[in-house]
Amino acid sequence: MPRYTVHVRGEWLAVPCLNCSNTIGWLGKEAVRRYMKNKPDNGGFASVEDVKFYIRRCKGLGLLDLDDTVEDALEDNEFVEVVIEGDIMSPDFIPSQPEGVHLYPFFEHFTLNYISLDGNSLTTEDLVNLGKGLYKIKLTLEAEAKVKRSREVIERIIKEKTVVYGITTGFGKFARTVIPNSKLRELQVNLVRSHSAGVGKPLSPERSRMLLALRINVLAKGYSGISLETLQQVIEAFNASCLPYIPEKGTVGASGDLAPLSHLALGLIGEGKMWSPKSGWADAKYVLEAHGLRPITLKPKEGLALINGTQMITSLGCEAVERASAIARQADIIAALTLEVLKGTTRAFDTDIHAVRPHRGQAEVAFRFRSLLDSDHHPSEIAESHRFCDRVQDAYTMRCCPQRPSVRTKGKVVACVVGHFFCTDAKTMNWRKMVFAERAETISGGNFHGEYPAKALDYLAIGVHELAAISERRIERLCNPSLSELPAFLVTEGGLNSGFMIAHCTAAALVSENKALCHPSSVDSLSTSAATEDHVSMGGWAARKALRVIEHVEQVLAIELLAACQGIEFLRPLRTTTPLEKVYDLVRSVVRPWMKDRFMAPDIEAAHRLLVEQKASVWEVAKPYIEKYRREHIPESRPISPTAFSLGSLEMNTGVGHDDGHQDEL
């Protein structure tokens, strides 16, 4: 018998349909009838016939024709909403596609590929791909065995009625309160309910999946005391993309991310709200049921096992590391394009200069500039046009790009630090109460404290912000005719047209906002839990603001990319190097030149997508040329000093010492 889950004024109702020839209008009336039956005042209606309504799907919000049959219009277990005429949208109705519909295809069309988790081998790249719905999860046999052994210790404690924190006692200030065995299950449920006190908008499905995947990974280590049965239920929810409603605010990163992880657990036990591609947002119990799953029944210690840990900080941090790495690589390409448009020199990227100051990141950035601009390798008509100009040197925002290697996150200095913290924390046991099966005992510790990732994320935000800070200065140089020798604001008929005038203002606004966001959150602490948790990390805010900083950096660089490509229009018919022409062509495939003013925001968004999409990004276009240049110049490599980092590809003599149009610097 088909059944439909219907949302009426904030309540979810399960409506069975005995006759599939019934209409959508009948379904709406039946849902309203059930809603009225549950209300002392009939919901304010005299009868069902007096209620005027329309019905829409929760997935996509499409309106349904009231005369269509449910058999023709709906699938079994579909989720719909009845909207009463005159009502504002239901108070707790949440659109089914938070954070953008572009995420949806990943979750609707799963591959059959699995990632086997053992708690030790997960990488940041794996986690990001799990977040995108590209893989399902299963446990290794070794992980299953460790989980079973850990649970046996807990069962023994319960059987022997041993007093152990969080298992047979209360929590925090109530650690001395012993709980009778008959109340141990209720203790765990109460823990999850009371700690689900977060606020703010929910995490996107992608970030919720990352959080859930990372939690599974840590539980697979076998130190939490969770049962294998419960862990398998968590994995089934992940594989079905049943994702609890997790508010983004509420963690201080002390006893782990208690509030967000409690919301995660709340959905898994069938309470609160949950999202899936099939249902959109709905009551968790209905979403689980629609996917053939049952809510988790928590056993002793399992509530604590699910909510103690730094997975909110760490999962968002992993996304931050991956995105910062991607935008750092592409920042070099965009800066090289700007340098060409502004007719700059490549002499500042000479191998010998960077051999004298042997920083790995500095050498790599200089190498990328050479690989894109070396006129012996990639002839440039633009560079040839100013071969004998009288300019001596370029501004720091172009000349000193390699000397800002710390901003090249994961390429190489900052990410070596940040990546280490996240790779370590993603595999670390960070519970208050850890179960050591080999010792047959539990031990309370402080591995749940979020100080490590909080500090790393603060550092990451500061480092990656510099990419936008120097990019904004280059945008100024592109737009300012006294600095660029190009038309003011990169547009013809200036005055009638404003060109990039306000796009530059947007970049400046984002850079200014980043300066405030870069104030470290990890230097702050507020005592919580009746002074039991008297020093906290504030790592949740460190993670969220790092991601906001990175998004701003991406947007500023998108504006510079557009401005540089627009600058090339005024240098035509001259052409730049082959790899940079390919970058120009990529941009022009989604954004046409500005002949006169037009709505600019969509163009900035289109350029932003070129920086964040993996398959058609600026990096993917330029990468083959960079790697080809690297292969061709490896034989010419020479060590820069005995103490230098030994990346052979970084210290190449690439023959850039020719006269490229500028006099030697004084």
Side-chain angles (χ1 to χ4, degrees):
M1 177 177 62
R3 195 204 69 166
Y4 306 98
T5 305
V6 187
H7 194 221
V8 183
R9 283 186 169 177
E11 293 190 8
W12 289 96
L13 305 164
V15 180
C17 184
L18 298 174
N19 186 350
C20 290
S21 63
N22 285 334
T23 65
I24 296 294
W26 169 87
L27 179 64
K29 286 185 177 180
E30 180 63 15
V32 171
R33 185 187 69 77
R34 291 170 181 249
Y35 168 80
M36 292 172 59
K37 183 179 178 182
N38 292 335
K39 299 295 179 182
D41 62 349
N42 288 333
F45 302 116
S47 70
V48 173
E49 302 302 326
D50 295 334
V51 181
K52 305 294 183 183
F53 60 84
Y54 61 91
I55 299 181
R56 62 183 169 203
R57 300 178 192 272
C58 288
K59 184 176 78 174
L61 303 183
L63 291 176
L64 296 169
D65 190 322
L66 299 182
D67 294 329
D68 285 347
T69 65
V70 292
E71 183 179 36
D72 292 337
L74 300 176
E75 298 177 1
D76 186 20
N77 264 328
E78 188 151 357
F79 291 69
V80 297
E81 181 183 40
V82 172
V83 182
I84 310 297
E85 285 190 9
D87 280 359
I88 301 174
M89 184 181 290
S90 299
D92 64 346
F93 182 80
I94 308 166
S96 63
Q97 297 301 329
E99 296 295 320
V101 296
H102 64 280
L103 295 170
Y104 192 14
F106 289 121
F107 302 113
E108 194 168 32
H109 306 293
F110 273 115
T111 67
L112 296 178
N113 295 326
Y114 283 80
I115 286 181
S116 297
L117 296 185
D118 58 7
N120 297 312
S121 55
L122 186 68
T123 67
T124 56
E125 183 180 2
D126 290 338
L127 186 62
V128 170
N129 286 331
L130 284 167
K132 291 177 179 178
L134 302 181
Y135 297 97
K136 294 184 179 183
I137 285 174
K138 62 182 178 180
L139 295 179
T140 64
L141 294 177
E142 180 185 7
E144 290 183 357
K146 288 190 294 185
V147 170
K148 289 179 180 178
R149 289 196 299 269
S150 174
R151 185 62 198 177
E152 289 170 1
V153 176
I154 300 300
E155 297 296 343
R156 190 179 308 115
I157 288 171
I158 297 167
K159 183 178 180 180
E160 296 173 357
K161 299 184 179 180
T162 307
V163 177
V164 178
Y165 175 85
I167 303 176
T168 57
T169 75
F171 307 96
K173 199 69 174 177
F174 299 118
R176 296 178 181 273
T177 304
V178 178
I179 309 298
N181 277 17
S182 61
K183 298 283 189 178
L184 294 184
R185 290 178 182 268
E186 184 180 352
L187 171 70
Q188 299 300 312
V189 174
N190 288 346
L191 173 70
V192 171
R193 288 171 176 163
S194 65
H195 285 44
S196 298
V199 297
K201 66 179 183 180
L203 296 181
S204 67
E206 188 170 10
R207 290 176 179 170
S208 295
R209 279 180 59 85
M210 289 174 64
L211 177 59
L212 184 53
L214 195 55
R215 195 66 195 148
I216 293 169
N217 183 66
V218 176
L219 291 169
K221 292 283 287 186
Y223 290 93
S224 71
I226 197 169
S227 68
L228 183 59
E229 176 192 4
T230 297
L231 183 52
Q232 290 291 6
Q233 284 185 267
V234 177
I235 292 171
E236 288 172 0
F238 175 90
N239 289 341
S241 233
C242 294
L243 307 173
Y245 185 101
I246 307 167
E248 64 178 3
K249 300 177 184 179
T251 176
V252 295
S255 290
D257 298 315
L258 290 175
L261 289 175
S262 295
H263 281 276
L264 184 72
L266 189 73
L268 295 173
I269 66 173
E271 300 185 16
K273 287 185 171 58
M274 184 173 270
W275 181 93
S276 82
K278 183 175 184 178
S279 65
W281 288 111
D283 284 1
K285 61 181 179 181
Y286 292 129
V287 177
L288 291 170
E289 187 176 336
H291 290 271
L293 304 176
R294 54 190 174 84
I296 290 172
T297 300
L298 294 176
K299 304 177 183 66
K301 214 279 187 183
E302 291 191 326
L304 189 63
L306 287 171
I307 73 170
N308 243 173
T310 59
Q311 280 67 56
M312 167 83 156
I313 305 171
T314 309
S315 61
L316 296 184
C318 287
E319 179 188 346
V321 167
E322 289 296 316
R323 287 176 63 177
S325 173
I327 196 60
R329 292 191 299 264
Q330 296 178 108
D332 297 334
I333 299 167
I334 295 168
L337 187 61
T338 296
L339 184 127
E340 269 284 89
V341 172
L342 295 176
K343 298 181 178 179
T345 176
T346 60
R347 289 187 68 83
F349 313 117
D350 186 278
T351 307
D352 289 337
I353 291 176
H354 303 285
V356 174
R357 194 185 191 195
H359 289 293
R360 180 190 294 182
Q362 176 177 331
E364 173 66 10
V365 173
F367 172 82
R368 288 179 190 165
F369 272 81
R370 293 195 301 272
S371 69
L372 297 168
L373 297 170
D374 182 352
S375 58
D376 284 347
H377 201 77
H378 301 299
S380 166
E381 294 175 350
I382 295 175
E384 185 65 24
S385 72
H386 63 97
R387 172 180 287 273
F388 301 109
C389 71
D390 59 359
R391 190 181 305 164
V392 173
Q393 60 187 21
D394 295 319
Y396 286 1
T397 51
M398 295 183 290
R399 185 181 9 148
C400 297
C401 284
Q403 283 77 12
R404 308 301 289 272
S406 63
V407 303
R408 268 63 192 180
T409 44
K410 211 171 182 178
K412 306 293 183 196
V413 179
V414 168
C416 287
V417 177
V418 176
H420 168 72
F421 279 136
F422 287 122
C423 288
T424 300
D425 230 49
K427 303 168 188 175
T428 298
M429 299 306 93
N430 39 32
W431 290 286
R432 176 195 304 272
K433 177 64 65 176
M434 293 174 60
V435 181
F436 293 93
E438 66 277 7
R439 295 169 56 174
E441 63 178 312
T442 64
I443 304 176
S444 289
N447 280 356
F448 49 69
H449 205 286
E451 193 77 8
Y452 280 133
K455 283 284 189 289
L457 280 161
D458 282 337
Y459 187 29
L460 175 63
I462 293 168
V464 77
H465 155 72
E466 288 300 303
L467 292 173
I470 59 178
S471 174
E472 182 274 328
R473 289 293 79 204
R474 290 193 296 263
I475 296 170
E476 157 69 10
R477 302 191 76 81
L478 287 164
C479 292
N480 189 334
S482 64
L483 300 174
S484 68
E485 302 177 6
L486 297 169
F489 304 112
L490 302 170
V491 71
T492 57
E493 294 188 81
L496 175 64
N497 295 303
S498 297
F500 277 76
M501 181 187 295
I502 304 305
H504 174 230
C505 289
T506 298
L510 294 172
V511 169
S512 180
E513 189 171 330
N514 273 2
K515 291 175 182 177
L517 290 171
C518 283
H519 177 80
S521 61
S522 59
V523 300
D524 185 29
S525 178
L526 289 171
S527 179
T528 60
S529 193
T532 302
E533 299 163 6
D534 56 349
H535 182 270
V536 302
S537 71
M538 299 300 177
W541 173 225
R544 290 191 294 110
K545 70 184 182 64
L547 282 168
R548 192 183 300 180
V549 167
I550 291 166
E551 182 176 21
H552 291 168
V553 170
E554 294 166 348
Q555 291 164 337
V556 171
L557 282 161
I559 293 171
E560 183 187 356
L561 177 62
L562 293 177
C565 288
Q566 181 67 9
I568 285 181
E569 305 299 338
F570 296 102
L571 301 178
R572 292 300 193 209
L574 301 179
R575 295 177 65 81
T576 181
T577 65
T578 301
L580 294 182
E581 283 290 341
K582 294 294 184 181
V583 172
Y584 169 87
D585 291 341
L586 174 66
V587 174
R588 286 290 171 254
S589 70
V590 295
V591 177
R592 69 184 190 277
W594 281 268
M595 306 309 295
K596 59 181 180 179
D597 282 348
R598 65 172 186 264
F599 184 20
M600 187 171 279
D603 292 339
I604 296 173
E605 177 56 31
H608 184 206
R609 287 197 299 271
L610 292 181
L611 299 179
V612 299
E613 292 181 357
Q614 293 179 338
K615 292 184 179 179
S617 68
V618 167
W619 173 252
E620 290 302 317
V621 167
K623 180 181 177 182
Y625 296 93
I626 295 172
E627 294 308 315
K628 181 174 184 286
Y629 191 84
R630 193 186 304 277
R631 290 192 301 271
E632 292 178 356
H633 288 78
I634 284 177
E636 301 178 22
S637 65
R638 60 180 183 268
I640 51 182
S641 87
T643 59
F645 291 99
S646 58
L647 269 193
S649 60
L650 302 184
E651 300 87 41
M652 310 301 162
N653 177 6
T654 56
V656 190
H658 64 279
D659 182 358
D660 65 346
H662 290 281
Q663 299 175 6
D664 289 342
E665 295 183 17
L666 299 178

